[in-house]
C-alpha cells in the first residue's frame, strides 16, 4: 500500500475510534441511568415495605399504606427463572438498559472498524505497540462481553465494561498514540498474531471476571446487612441506602459461579499465552524462559489465578476471599499492561513510546 | 492429660499440614509475592549490566540487597524453598488422589439415594401406560450408557433404579495437569545440564568451527561433555539489513536483518542457509540464533619501516539506533611502544551544533572513523585475560583527542593518517574502493553478526509436558463430573412413577439441563418401545 493511502486509512481509523469513544460514553450514561432507576425502584419498594411494617406495629404510622403497597410489584417485572436471575428483587430490562446495549453494539462496530483500518494502514496485525494493543485489547474485552450477553444476562455490568474500555481507549489515544510504523524484525513472527491475540482475549475474560467479583463483594455485603436487617429492622434500612440497585442483581453465590466460569476460561487462555510466549522467546531470543520483567509478571498473574482456582476448593476461602483474588489478579493484569510495558526495563520493549 | 505426639506423630502432622489445600494456596500466593522483587531489581541472569549499574547508583543499598539474594531472586534460597515446598505439597496431594481415582475408575457408581427430591434437576414423570418398572430402568440404562455414563442398576421388589456417573476425565485431567507441572519443573531443573550455550561474533567472510576454542564465550551444562561437539563449520557470507525509507515516521528503522551463512557438516557438502531474528537455524543438533549485529571497520596499522603490525576487521559495538559504534584496537607488538586506540564509527556522520560527531542514519551513507590514540602498557603481558571490548587507560598515556590538544584521528574509508610520535601509520581500509570512488559507500565497511549457538536436548520434553498441562487444564476445568439417577417405582395401581435427579461433583453449570435431556430421551425411548399388545394382567 502506498504511503498516502496508509495515512488516509489511519486517519479514518482515528475518526472511527473517536466516534466509538463518544458512543461508548453515551452507552455508559445509559447504563448508569439504568442502575439509578433500579436503585429508585428498590427504594420505592423498601419505602412501601417500611410503611407496611410500621402500619402493622401498634405505634406505627396511620398513612395510607394500602395505596403505596400497590406500587410494590408493578414496578418490577418478573424475568425468566433462569439460575443467573436469582435476584432478591428481579428487575426487567428497562428502556435505558436496552438503549445502553444498542449503543454499545454500535460503538463496538465503530471500534472494530477503527481497529481493522489501523491494521490495513499498517499492513499487518493491529497489535504491535501500546496504542494498538490497547485498541485491540479493549475491542476484545467488549467482544467477550457482547458474546457473554447472548448466553447470560450480564447487562448490569455495562457501566463497568463501557467505563473501563472508555478509560483505556482514552489513555491509548492521548498517551500511547504513535504513527503507523513497520514491524521491527523481532516482531516479525506468526507468534505475534497468536501470542498477543490470545493474551488480549484472556484479558477480556479476566476483566469480566473482575467486574463480577467486585459486584459479588458488594452483593455479599448487602445480603449480610439484609440478614442483620431481619434481626434489627430499622437500622439496616439506613445502611442499605447506598447501591440499592444491588437488590436487582443476581445473588453473590450466582455472581461467584459466573465469575469463576469466566475466569477459568481466562486462565486456560493465559496458560496458552505463557506457553506460546515461551515458544516465541525460544525462537527470537534463544531461550524459552529468562525471567524478563514481562515474563515475571505473566508468571505472577498465572500464579494468582491458579491460587484463585484453588481457593474455590479450600474451606474458608470460597466467597469473598476468592473474589479478592480475582480482583488482585485483574489488577496485576492491568499493571502488567499499563505499568510494566511503559516503565519497566526489559526485552518486551515494544510499546513504541 | 493430652496424648503425646511422637516423632512420627509430628511428622505425620507436618505432612498433613503441608499437603493440605490451605497450605498449597498459601504457598501459591507466597510464590506470586516472592516473584515481584525480581521485576523491580535487575537480575544477574537477564540483565548483568543493570546489576553493575545498580551497584554504582546505590552503593549502600546494593550490598544489603545482594546479601538477600535480590539480584538472583529466581535461584535464591527463599524463592527455591517456596516452590520446592509447593511442589512437595503438590506431589503429596496428587499421589493419594491418583490412588483414589484409580479405585473410582474401577468402582461401580454408588447406590441410588433413597430420596432424590433434594437433588439438582429433580423431575418426576409418569411412565407411559403398561410400562414395566424394570424395563423402564433398562431403557434408562441404555440412554445413560450411550451418553457416556458409567452405570449400575439396583432392583428391589418395589422399585428399580439406575445410578450413573460420568466425567471421570475431569479428575484425570486434574491429575495430568499437576503431574505435567512436576515434569516441567524437573525438565527445567535438570534439562539445562545436558546442553550448552555459546556465543560467537563473525565478521562477513569469517568462518567458525564448532569447537570449544572457537567460541567467544561458552557455558556448558553440568552434564555436558565438550567432546560431543559436532565440528561443523559456519561461515558468514553476507549480512544484509534493510531500512525503512518510505515512511518518514519510522525512517531508518531496520525492517530486516538476514545473515546469509554456509554450513558445512564434517565430511559433507556445504549447505547455504540463512539466520534471521525470528528464524534460528537448526543444524547438527544445535540452534543458531541471530542476536546482534554492527559494523566491523577494517583497520590496519603499519610500522615506520612498512611492516604491517595489525590488520583486522574489528567489531564495533553499536551505541544507539543510528549505529554510532564504539570499538577498541590493541597493538601490543611491532611498534616502538604498545598502542591502544578507542575508536568511534559513524555510518552516516553528522556534526551537532556543539561540534560533536554523531550518526544520523544507520546505513553507510557517509562513514567516518575517529580514533583516540593511547600509548604505554596495555596490561596484556601479565597473562590476565582482558576484554577485547574494553581498554584500561590507567597505565596508558593519551596522545590524541580529549584533553590532549591534539585532534582525534578522523578517517574516511581508504584514508590513512600518521600516528603521533612517529609510531607509524593507521589506515581505514575500504572494502570496495571502486564503489566508494563512485560515491557509494554501502560496501565500504564489513558488518558483523553475533550468534548464539545452543544445544538443549530437553526442549522436546518441555513441549510435551506443556501440551499435557493444556490437556489437563481443558479437561480438568471444563469436563463436568456428575451423577445422574433414574428411579422407577410401581404404584399400587400398576402405573410406574419415574424420578430423575443429578448431583454435581465440582463446578457444573449445565447439570440441570443434562438431567432434563436424560429425562426427555428416556421418555421418548419408553414411548417408542411401548408394548403394542397390552400386558396380560390388565386384560
Amino acid at each position: 500500500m502506498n504511503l498516502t493511502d496508509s495515512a488516509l486509512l489511519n486517519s479514518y481509523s482515528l475518526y472511527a475510534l473517536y466516534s466509538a469513544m463518544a458512543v461508548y460514553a453515551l452507552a455508559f450514561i445509559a447504563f448508569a441511568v439504568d442502575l439509578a432507576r433500579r436503585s429508585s425502584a428498590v427504594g420505592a419498594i423498601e419505602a412501601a415495605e417500611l410503611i407496611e411494617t410500621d402500619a402493622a406495629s401498634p405505634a406505627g404510622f396511620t398513612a395510607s399504606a394500602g395505596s403505596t403497597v400497590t406500587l410494590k410489584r408493578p414496578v418490577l417485572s418478573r424475568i425468566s427463572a433462569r439460575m443467573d436471575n436469582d435476584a432478591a428483587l428481579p428487575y426487567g430490562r428497562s428502556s435505558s438498559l436496552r438503549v445502553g446495549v444498542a449503543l454499545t453494539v454500535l460503538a463496538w462496530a465503530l471500534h472494530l472498524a477503527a481497529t481493522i483500518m489501523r491494521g490495513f494502514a499498517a499492513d499487518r496485525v493491529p497489535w504491535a505497540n501500546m496504542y494498538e494493543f490497547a485498541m485491540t485489547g479493549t475491542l476484545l474485552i467488549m467482544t467477550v462481553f457482547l458474546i457473554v450477553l447472548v448466553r447470560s444476562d450480564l447487562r448490569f455490568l455495562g457501566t463497568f465494561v463501557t467505563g473501563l474500555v472508555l478509560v483505556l481507549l482514552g489513555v491509548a489515544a492521548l498517551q500511547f498514540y504513535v504513527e503507523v510504523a513497520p514491524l521491527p524484525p523481532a516482531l516479525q513472527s506468526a507468534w505475534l498474531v497468536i501470542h498477543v491475540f490470545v493474551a488480549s482475549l484472556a484479558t477480556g475474560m479476566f476483566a469480566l471476571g473482575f467486574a463480577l467479583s467486585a459486584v459479588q463483594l458488594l452483593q455479599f455485603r448487602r445480603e449480610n446487612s439484609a440478614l442483620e436487617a431481619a434481626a434489627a429492622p430499622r437500622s439496616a434500612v439506613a445502611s442499605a441506602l447506598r447501591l440499592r440497585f444491588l437488590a436487582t442483581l443476581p445473588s453473590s453465590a450466582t455472581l461467584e459461579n459466573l465469575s469463576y466460569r469466566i475466569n477459568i476460561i481466562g486462565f486456560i487462555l493465559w496458560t496458552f499465552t505463557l506457553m506460546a510466549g515461551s515458544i516465541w522467546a525460544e525462537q527470537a531470543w534463544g531461550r524459552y524462559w529468562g525471567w524478563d520483567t514481562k515474563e515475571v509478571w505473566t508468571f505472577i498473574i498465572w500464579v494468582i489465578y491458579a491460587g484463585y482456582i484453588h481457593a474455590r476448593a479450600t474451606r474458608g476461602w470460597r466467597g469473598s476471599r476468592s473474589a479478592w483474588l480475582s480482583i488482585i489478579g485483574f489488577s496485576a493484569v492491568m499493571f502488567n499492561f499499563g505499568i510494566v510495558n511503559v516503565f519497566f526495563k526489559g526485552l518486551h520493549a515494544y510499546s513504541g513510546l | 492429660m493430652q496424648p503425646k505426639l511422637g516423632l512420627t506423630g509430628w511428622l505425620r502432622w507436618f505432612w498433613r499440614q503441608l499437603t493440605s489445600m490451605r497450605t498449597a494456596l498459601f504457598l501459591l500466593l507466597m510464590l506470586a509475592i516472592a516473584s515481584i522483587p525480581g521485576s523491580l531489581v535487575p537480575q544477574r541472569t537477564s540483565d548483568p549490566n543493570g546489576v553493575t549499574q545498580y551497584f554504582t547508583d546505590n552503593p549502600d543499598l546494593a550490598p544489603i540487597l545482594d546479601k538477600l539474594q535480590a539480584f538472583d531472586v529466581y535461584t535464591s534460597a527463599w524463592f527455591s524453598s517456596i516452590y520446592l515446598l509447593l511442589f512437595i505439597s503438590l506431589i503429596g496431594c496428587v499421589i493419594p488422589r491418583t490412588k483414589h481415582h484409580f479405585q473410582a475408575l474401577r468402582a461401580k457408581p454408588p447406590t441410588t439415594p433413597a430420596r432424590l427430591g433434594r437433588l439438582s434437576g429433580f423431575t418426576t414423570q409418569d411412565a407411559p401406560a403398561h410400562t414395566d418398572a424394570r424395563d423402564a430402568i433398562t431403557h434408562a440404562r441404555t440412554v445413560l450408557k450411550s451418553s457416556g455414563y458409567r452405570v449400575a442398576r439396583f432392583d428391589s421388589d418395589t422399585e428399580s433404579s439406575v445410578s450413573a456417573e460420568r466425567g471421570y476425565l475431569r479428575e484425570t485431567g486434574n491429575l495430568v495437569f499437576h503431574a505435567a507441572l512436576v515434569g516441567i519443573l524437573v525438565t527445567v531443573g535438570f534439562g539445562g545440564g545436558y546442553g550448552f550455550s555459546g556465543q560467537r561474533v563473525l565478521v562477513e567472510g569469517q568462518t567458525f568451527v564448532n569447537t570449544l576454542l572457537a567460541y567467544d564465550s561458552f557455558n556448558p551444562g553440568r552434564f555436558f561433555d565438550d567432546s560431543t561437539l559436532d565440528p561443523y563449520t559456519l561461515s558468514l557470507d553476507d549480512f544484509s539489513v534493510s531500512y525503512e525509507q518510505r515512511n518518514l515516521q519510522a525512517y531508518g528503522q531496520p525492517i530486516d536483518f538476514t545473515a546469509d551463512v554456509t554450513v558445512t557438516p564434517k565430511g559433507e557438502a556445504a549447505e547455504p542457509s540463512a539466520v534471521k531474528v525470528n528464524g534460528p537455524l537448526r543444524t547438527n543438533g544445535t540452534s543458531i540464533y541471530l542476536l546482534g549485529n554492527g559494523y566491523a571497520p577494517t583497520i590496519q596499522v603499519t610500522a615506520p619501516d612498512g611492516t604491517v603490525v595489525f590488520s583486522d576487521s574489528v567489531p564495533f559495538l553499536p551505541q544507539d539506533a543510528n549505529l554510532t559504534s564504539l570499538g577498541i584496537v590493541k597493538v601490543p607488538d611491532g611498534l616502538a611502544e604498545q598502542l591502544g586506540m578507542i575508536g568511534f564509527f559513524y555510518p552516516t556522520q553528522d556534526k551537532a551544533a556543539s561540534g560533536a560527531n554523531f550518526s544520523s542514519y544507520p546505513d553507510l551513507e557517509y562513514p567516518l572513523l575517529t580514533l583516540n590514540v593511547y600509548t604505554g602498557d596495555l596490561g596484556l603481558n601479565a597473562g590476565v585475560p582482558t576484554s577485547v571490548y574494553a581498554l584500561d587507560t590507567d597505565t596508558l598515556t593519551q596522545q590524541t583527542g580529549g584533553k590532549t590538544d591534539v585532534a582525534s584521528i578522523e578517517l574516511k574509508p581508504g584514508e590513512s593518517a600518521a600516528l603521533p610520535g612517529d609510531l607509524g601509520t593507521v589506515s581505514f581500509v575500504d572494502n570496495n574502493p571502486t564503489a566508494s570512488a563512485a560515491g557509494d559507500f554501502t560496501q565500504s565497511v564489513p558488518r558483523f553478526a553475533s550468534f548464539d549457538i545452543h544445544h538443549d536436548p530437553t526442549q522436546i520434553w518441555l513441549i510435551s509436558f506443556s501440551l499435557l498441562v493444556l490437556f489437563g487444564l481443558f479437561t480438568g476445568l471444563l469436563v463436568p463430573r456428575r451423577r445422574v439417577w433414574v428411579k422407577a417405582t410401581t404404584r399400587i395401581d400398576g402405573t410406574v412413577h419415574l424420578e430423575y435427579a443429578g448431583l454435581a461433583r465440582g463446578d457444573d453449570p449445565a447439570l440441570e439441563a443434562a438431567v432434563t435431556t436424560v429425562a426427555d430421551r428416556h421418555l421418548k425411548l419408553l414411548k417408542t418401545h411401548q408394548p403394542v399388545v397390552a400386558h396380560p394382567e390388565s386384560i
Side-chain angles (χ1 to χ4, degrees), chain B residues 234-268:
Chain B
L234 173 77
S235 311
L236 176 62
D237 304 324
D238 182 46
F239 189 83
S240 52
V241 187
S242 43
Y243 297 99
E244 177 61 44
Q245 287 180 312
R246 293 186 313 155
N247 184 345
L248 294 183
Q249 309 291 347
Y251 193 73
Q253 179 191 309
I255 46 180
D256 184 55
F257 296 120
T258 303
D260 290 313
V261 297
T262 304
V263 175
T264 318
K266 198 182 181 190
E268 288 177 44

Side-chain angles (χ1 to χ4, degrees), chain A:
Chain A
M1 182 181 303
N2 74 47
L3 281 174
T4 42
D5 283 354
S6 162
L8 197 65
L9 207 52
N10 184 44
S11 61
Y12 286 153
S13 159
L14 272 171
Y15 289 138
L17 190 71
Y18 278 103
S19 314
M21 284 164 69
V23 183
Y24 277 137
L26 293 175
F28 174 79
I29 294 169
F31 281 123
V33 167
D34 170 62
L35 289 186
R37 284 191 176 173
R38 285 166 187 255
S39 279
S40 61
V42 173
I45 282 177
E46 279 176 356
E49 280 169 351
L50 193 61
I51 290 165
E52 239 178 334
T53 32
D54 284 341
S57 67
F61 292 81
T62 49
S64 57
S67 65
T68 329
V69 174
T70 52
L71 262 179
K72 191 172 169 185
R73 290 304 157 186
V75 178
L76 309 164
S77 54
R78 271 252 161 226
I79 28 178
S80 67
R82 295 223 319 254
M83 72 157 289
D84 36 315
N85 287 319
D86 60 349
L89 298 170
Y91 187 79
R93 289 179 202 163
S94 70
S95 54
S96 38
L97 189 68
R98 288 169 201 277
V99 168
V101 172
L103 286 174
T104 307
V105 172
L106 174 64
W108 174 83
L110 286 164
H111 191 170
L112 177 69
T115 311
I116 289 174
M117 284 192 281
R118 174 75 181 196
F120 275 106
D123 208 10
R124 55 168 165 71
V125 288
W127 51 79
N129 52 53
M130 277 292 271
Y131 169 67
E132 294 170 7
F133 296 147
M135 187 154 65
T136 308
T138 47
L139 179 70
L140 286 174
I141 291 178
M142 203 47 94
T143 311
V144 167
F145 176 60
L146 291 176
I147 289 173
V148 170
L149 280 195
V150 178
R151 293 200 47 170
S152 30
D153 186 11
L154 299 186
R155 288 171 177 79
F156 59 87
L157 288 183
T159 327
F160 165 77
V161 178
T162 50
L164 174 78
V165 166
L166 200 54
V167 167
L168 289 177
L169 279 181
V171 173
L174 296 174
Q175 297 292 320
F176 298 156
Y177 181 77
V178 286
E179 296 293 335
V180 168
L183 279 184
L187 289 185
Q188 293 167 12
S189 167
W191 291 104
L192 173 70
V193 183
I194 303 164
H195 170 64
V196 182
F197 183 81
V198 177
S200 306
L201 206 57
T203 305
M205 293 289 174
F206 288 149
L208 284 189
F210 162 83
L212 286 166
S213 294
V215 180
Q216 177 200 333
L217 285 177
L218 294 172
Q219 187 71 293
F220 184 71
R221 215 186 55 177
R222 190 193 67 85
E223 287 165 357
N224 270 4
S225 64
L227 282 180
E228 284 163 24
R234 290 310 296 262
S235 65
V237 177
S239 71
L241 269 180
R242 282 187 303 157
L243 304 176
R244 275 191 299 222
F245 65 82
L246 286 171
T248 66
L249 307 188
S251 70
S252 66
T254 302
L255 289 167
E256 182 181 353
N257 286 335
L258 285 171
S259 169
Y260 176 74
R261 276 163 216 158
I262 288 175
N263 274 332
I264 56 174
I265 307 285
F267 183 69
I268 294 172
L269 293 171
W270 196 258
T271 309
F272 180 80
T273 301
L274 208 152
M275 288 173 183
S278 287
I279 295 173
W280 189 9
E282 193 277 331
Q283 280 185 9
W285 301 325
R287 88 287 183 290
Y288 51 81
W289 192 262
W291 297 106
D292 175 59
T293 47
K294 201 71 194 267
E295 292 171 346
V296 171
W297 277 94
T298 304
F299 173 75
I300 291 173
I301 291 162
W302 190 84
V303 173
I304 294 174
Y305 279 101
Y308 166 79
I309 290 171
H310 283 86
R312 291 253 314 174
T314 308
R315 203 151 21 109
W317 276 81
R318 278 190 91 102
S320 297
R321 284 197 187 174
S322 70
W324 275 111
L325 285 180
S326 152
I327 287 171
I328 294 170
F330 183 66
S331 312
V333 171
M334 284 289 103
F335 183 82
N336 194 22
F337 170 75
I339 309 293
V340 176
N341 270 5
V342 182
F343 298 105
F344 281 41
K345 199 177 148 190
L347 288 169
H348 285 76
Y350 304 123
S351 67
L353 302 174

Side-chain angles (χ1 to χ4, degrees), chain B residues 402-449:
Chain B
K403 295 172 189 151
T404 56
D405 288 337
V406 184
S408 296
I409 296 173
E410 295 198 353
L411 298 172
K412 296 189 57 55
E415 291 180 349
S416 299
L419 289 164
D422 295 326
L423 277 175
T425 50
V426 57
S427 323
F428 179 9
V429 180
D430 193 332
N431 242 32
N432 190 341
T434 357
S436 298
D440 172 17
F441 287 103
T442 52
Q443 303 300 313
S444 61
V445 182
R447 289 175 184 264
F448 75 85

Side-chain angles (χ1 to χ4, degrees), chain B residues 314-387:
Chain B
V314 182
F316 274 45
L317 299 182
Q319 307 292 308
D320 62 24
N322 282 328
L323 270 87
T324 299
S325 309
L326 175 66
I328 302 293
V329 177
K330 293 177 189 180
V331 187
D333 303 307
L335 299 178
E337 274 186 284
Q338 287 196 333
L339 177 81
M341 293 189 281
I342 297 178
F344 278 95
F345 177 68
Y346 309 93
T348 300
Q349 180 256 341
D350 220 328
K351 251 187 170 38
S354 65
N357 287 319
F358 70 97
S359 175
S360 58
Y361 187 70
D363 206 355
L364 296 163
E365 295 286 328
Y366 190 76
L368 181 78
L369 175 71
T370 69
L371 295 165
N372 285 348
V373 180
Y374 293 80
T375 54
D377 180 10
L378 287 174
L380 298 176
N381 302 342
V384 183
T386 54
S387 166

